[in-house]
Amino acid sequence: MKGYELYLAIAYLVLGPFVGGLIDGVSRKVTARLQGRVGPPIIQPFYDLRKLFSRKLDPVNSLQMPLVVSHFIFAVATGFLIFEGSDILLIIFVLTLAAIFLVLAAYSTGSPFSAIGADRELIMMTAYEPMVILTLVGFFKVAGSFHFGDIAAVGKPTILLLPGIFLGLVFVLIMKLRKSPFDISTSHHAHQELVKGLTADLGGPALGLVELADWYESVYLYGLVFLFFSWNPIAAVLGPLATYFIIILIDNVTARVKWELALTSAWIVAIVAGVGNLIPFYLIARVVH
Amino acid sequence: MTLPIILTATPCVFGLIALVIRDYRLRRAVVTIAALIQAALAVLLTIQVWPSLPLRITMQIPHLDQFLLGGELVLAAYFAIRAVRTKRLLTLLLAIAQVVVALVGPTWTSGIEAQTTIVIDQLTILMVLVIGIVGGLIVIYATGYMHTFQEEHPEVRDRRRTFSFVFLVFLGGMYGLVLANDLRIMLFFWEITTWASFVLIGYNEDKVSQKNAFLALNLNILGGLAFAIGIIVLAATAGTVDMDKLGTVGAAVAAIPVACMALAGLVKAAQLPFTPWLLGAMVAPTPVSALLHSSTMVKAGVFLLIRLAPVLVGTPTGLVVALIGILTFIVGAFIAVSRRNAKRILALSTVSNLGLIVVCAGIGTPQLIWAAFFLILFHAVAKALLFMAVGSSSFGTGSLDIEDMGGLIVKQPRIALLLVIGIAVMFVAPFGMLISKWTAMEAFINMTSWISPVMVVLLAFGSATTVLFWTKWLGLLIRLSDPAAPRGLLEDKYSGAEFLSQSSLAILAILACVTFPFISHYVVSPFLLSAYGQAFTLDQGNVVVTVLMVVMTVVIPWLLLTISRRGTKRLSGAYMSGRPTEAGLVFKGTAGVKKAVELRSYYLVKYFDEPWLLRWGIFLSIILTITMFGTVLI
C-alpha cells in the first residue's frame, strides 16, 4: 500500500456522502435546465436525506433492515477497499455482494412491485458484470496491476488505449446508477410501472441508507472513470466531468428500455467494444513482453 | 502400512453385512456405524501419513493380474446380462468390448509390475477426507432419507439393502481409486464406481430410471475402455503402469495414453459432450445425487485430470481439455438460468464448476491447480449439503420446483437456513468457490497465450449468469409474504439423521471458508511444491481482505437479524398499490373478492434455451474431442 492510499480511503469515507450528494444534486439541476425547468437547489438531495432519516423506521419484515444495512456496509466497503489499494479484481466481487443484499431485501418483502424490481435488478447485474470484469482486465493490460494507485500512476493515456472498454464502462455506469434508458429496476421517478420497484417497500431511514449507499457508489464508480484520464491533470478533471454530463444527457434523451434490450445490448457492447478492445493487447503481447 | 487397504476394504465389508441384514433398525445402526468407522479411518490415515507426505508404498500383491481380470470380467458379465435382459444392444457391445480389452490387455502388461502401488500425497488426502467425511455424512443422511422415501413412494420396490450395499462399496471403490498408483488397480476401482453409479441411478426401476442408468453406463464403459486402452498403450510403449511415471516417459510416448485417460476423466467428470449422463442421473433418490455430485464419481474424473495435469501442461491435449472445460462451464451456467427444478439447477451447477476444475487441470499452472484444489473442497461440501437439503425440503413441500420454495424460511426454517449457507458458499464473495474463481480469473489474465482472452471472457460471462440463478433462488427462499405466519409447518418429516448430517456439513463449509488460508499454507502449498517445484500463495493483503469479508458476511447479517428480532416492532404490510391486504398479501378486491398474490421468477428461456445450448455445446465439444485425438495420433 502506498502512503497516500489510506488517506484517500479515509477521505472517501468522510467526504464520500458530500461528493455523492452533490453529484446527485447537480444532475437534478442540469436535468431540470435541460427540460426548461428551474430545478431544485443543488443541495436538495441533502434535505431529502435529512427528511428520510427523520422519519420513523417502518420495516415490512424482520429481514429487510438487516439486508439493507448489509447492503450499505458492503457498498461503502467496496469503495474503501478500492481506494485503499486492495486488489480491485477481488473487490469487484464485494460490489456484487453489496448488490445481492439489496436485491434480497426487495425479494424478502413478497410484494410484487419489489419482487419484479429485484428480478430486473438481478438481470441488470448479469448484464453489466462481464463488462466490469473486462474493464479491470483492460486496466491490467495497460498498467500491469489491479491496484488503484498503480493504475492511476501508469502515466499513459489510458483512454486512448482503452476506448472500447471506456464505452463499455459508460454502459455499466448508466446501469449501475440506474439512469435512463436502464432505470428498469427502480428509478428516481415514482411514476414508472413498478412504482419504485426495487425500493418500493423501503421508506424512511431504510430508503435513506440505500440513497446514501448510491452516493458512495457513484463516487468510486467515477473513481474508475478517473483512471482512464489520470495521466494528465487537466484530463483527470475534464474526463470524468464530461462523462458525467454525457450520462445526464443520455438520461434525459432516452426512454426506458425493456430488460431484454438491456441485457442483450450490454452483452453485445461487452463483446464488441470490450473484447474487441482487448484482442490487440494479446496480439501484440509478445512484442511488449 | 496396511491402513490404505483397510480403509478401502472397510466400507465394502460393512456393505456386505448390510446386504444380509433384513431388520431395518439393525441395518440402519450397522450402516451408521460403518459410516462413522470409515470416516474415522480416513482421519486416522491422514494423521498417520501426514509427517511423511508424499508417501510411496510398494506392495507385492500375489495373483494381482488374475484378481483384476476376474473382477473386470464379473463386472462386464453383469453389464452384459443386464443389457441382454433389457434388450440394449449398444450396452451389450460395449460390455463385450470391455471383456475383449480385459482379456487381451495382459498380453502387453504381463511381466510389468508397478514399482509403486500406492502414492499418498496432499491431493490424495484431500480426496480421502472428502470421501470419508462428506461421503460418510451422506450415508447417514441416506438412512433417514430412504426410510421416508419408501413411505412416500410405495410404487418403488424396497431394495434398501442393495442400496446400502452399493452405497458403501461406492465409497470403498473411491478410496481404492484415489490411493492407487498402479494404473491397473486404479482402472479396476474406476469400473467399480461405474457399476455402483449404474445400480444407484436405476434404483427406482421405472422406465426413465432405466434409460438414464444405461446412458450413464454406456458413457462410463466407453470412458473405462479409453482408460484401459491408455494403460495398454503405455505398457506396450513405455513398459510401465505407474501413474507417477507418466511424466518421465517422454512427451511423445505419453501423448496417446494421456489423451485416452483424459477422455476417461472427461466422461466421469460429466464434461461435454458426456454431460447428459449426469443430468439424467437426477432421477435417482436424492442421496445418490448428493453422492455422485460431491464426493464420488465426478470427483474421480477431475481427480484423474489433476493427476494428469503435470503431463498436460503445454500440450495440445491439455489445451483441448481446457477448452472443453470452459465450454462446459459456460453452457452449464447458462442452462441453469432457465431451469426451475432444484435438482437440475444443482446438477448444472456441478457440471459448470467441474468445467472450471477441468480448465485448471488442462492448463495446469500451479496457481490454477491451487484453485482446482479449493474448488474440489468447497464444491464437495456445499453441493452435498445442497442436494441433501433439497431432498429433505421436497418431503415437506412435495415439490422440487424452486418456485415452490418461496417463503421456505417460514415453512421450513432449518432447511432454508442450510440451503442459504450452501448457496452462499457456492457463489457469494468472499466464500470458498469465489476465491478459487477469482484466483483462476487472475491466472487467466496473467497468461499471454491466445487462450487467455477466451478463458477470461467466458469466465466473466459464466460468472455473471451464476450470480443470476443463485440469487434468484436465494430470493425465493427468504421471501416473507406473511411474517407472522407460524414457523416450520412443513418440517415435521425432517428426521434427526437428516438434520444432523446437513448441519455438520454446513459447519464444515463455514469452517473451510474461515480456515482456507491455513489449508492453503499447510496442505496445498506443500503439494504444489513437491509436484511442481513452485508454490502458489495468495497475496497477504488479499487473504486479510478475504477473511475480513468472510467474518463480515457472516457476522453482520446475523448481528443485525438478532437486533431486529429483539425489537419486534410493529411491521407494516408490503406495498400493494395502497389496497388493503390480509396476512400473506391477500388482496381485498371489490365486492368481497379476495385474491392472493402469486409471484413467479424470470427464467429467460428465450436467451438461455437448454436444447439449443446443449446441442451446440455437444457439437463443439465433439469437434474438440476429435481434435484432441487427431493431434496425438498424427
Side-chain angles (χ1 to χ4, degrees), chain A residues 268-289:
Chain A
I268 288 169
V269 167
I271 291 170
V272 176
V275 180
N277 197 162
L278 285 178
I279 287 172
F281 285 96
Y282 288 96
L283 291 178
I284 58 166
R286 282 189 187 81
V287 185
V288 177
H289 279 271

Side-chain angles (χ1 to χ4, degrees), chain A residues 29-102:
Chain A
K29 191 82 183 170
V30 173
T31 299
R33 287 294 158 86
L34 282 172
Q35 297 168 348
R37 293 185 282 119
V38 177
I42 289 172
I43 53 169
Q44 182 64 35
F46 299 104
Y47 295 138
D48 294 350
L49 197 70
R50 193 183 62 191
K51 187 161 187 188
L52 284 175
F53 277 110
S54 72
R55 289 196 175 141
K56 216 172 69 188
L57 189 63
D58 191 18
V60 172
N61 60 51
S62 56
L63 278 174
Q64 197 183 18
M65 270 316 279
L67 290 168
V68 167
V69 176
S70 300
H71 163 70
F72 173 75
I73 292 174
F74 282 91
V76 175
T78 306
F80 180 81
L81 291 166
I82 288 177
F83 290 123
E84 178 265 348
S86 291
D87 189 323
I88 305 185
L89 189 65
L90 185 62
I91 301 314
I92 233 57
F93 294 119
V94 183
L95 179 148
T96 311
L97 179 62
I100 289 171
F101 275 122
L102 184 59

Side-chain angles (χ1 to χ4, degrees), chain A residues 8 11 34 64 93 99 178 189 195 211 213 216 224 234 256:
Chain A
L8 185 66
L34 282 172
Q64 197 183 18
F93 294 119
R178 303 192 192 95
H189 323 287
V195 195
E211 192 77 359
Y216 272 109
L224 293 182
I234 299 168
R256 183 177 304 137

Side-chain angles (χ1 to χ4, degrees), chain B residues 402-549:
Chain B
I402 61 168
E403 290 292 330
D404 294 328
M405 294 190 183
L408 215 59
I409 194 108
V410 177
K411 296 176 209 155
Q412 299 175 326
R414 284 185 295 168
I415 300 178
L417 181 65
L418 292 165
L419 279 171
V420 168
I421 292 173
I423 293 177
V425 174
M426 284 302 295
F427 89 104
V428 170
F431 296 127
M433 297 295 277
L434 214 111
I435 291 297
S436 313
K437 241 180 219 177
W438 165 74
T439 308
M441 179 63 98
E442 201 175 60
F444 295 152
I445 296 174
N446 272 316
M447 294 188 306
T448 46
S449 89
W450 62 268
I451 201 172
S452 160
V454 176
M455 295 293 168
V456 169
V457 171
L458 294 181
L459 186 59
F461 280 93
S463 296
T465 48
T466 307
V467 171
L468 176 58
F469 70 81
W470 285 125
T471 312
K472 180 171 68 185
W473 192 352
L474 268 186
L476 283 166
L477 290 174
I478 64 158
R479 185 198 293 159
L480 281 164
S481 296
D482 185 7
R487 315 262 141 169
L489 275 184
L490 297 178
E491 225 170 32
D492 54 327
K493 282 180 187 153
Y494 195 36
S495 70
E498 291 172 71
F499 178 63
L500 192 72
S501 46
Q502 287 163 26
S503 40
S504 309
L505 273 177
I507 291 166
L508 271 179
I510 294 171
L511 265 182
C513 288
V514 178
T515 59
F516 92 92
F518 300 101
I519 302 175
S520 167
H521 186 263
Y522 292 106
V523 185
V524 192
S525 286
F527 171 69
L528 294 174
L529 215 75
S530 67
Y532 294 87
Q534 51 172 313
F536 168 77
T537 41
L538 282 181
D539 185 47
Q540 198 72 38
N542 288 335
V543 173
V544 173
V545 170
T546 313
V547 174
L548 207 70
M549 283 291 157

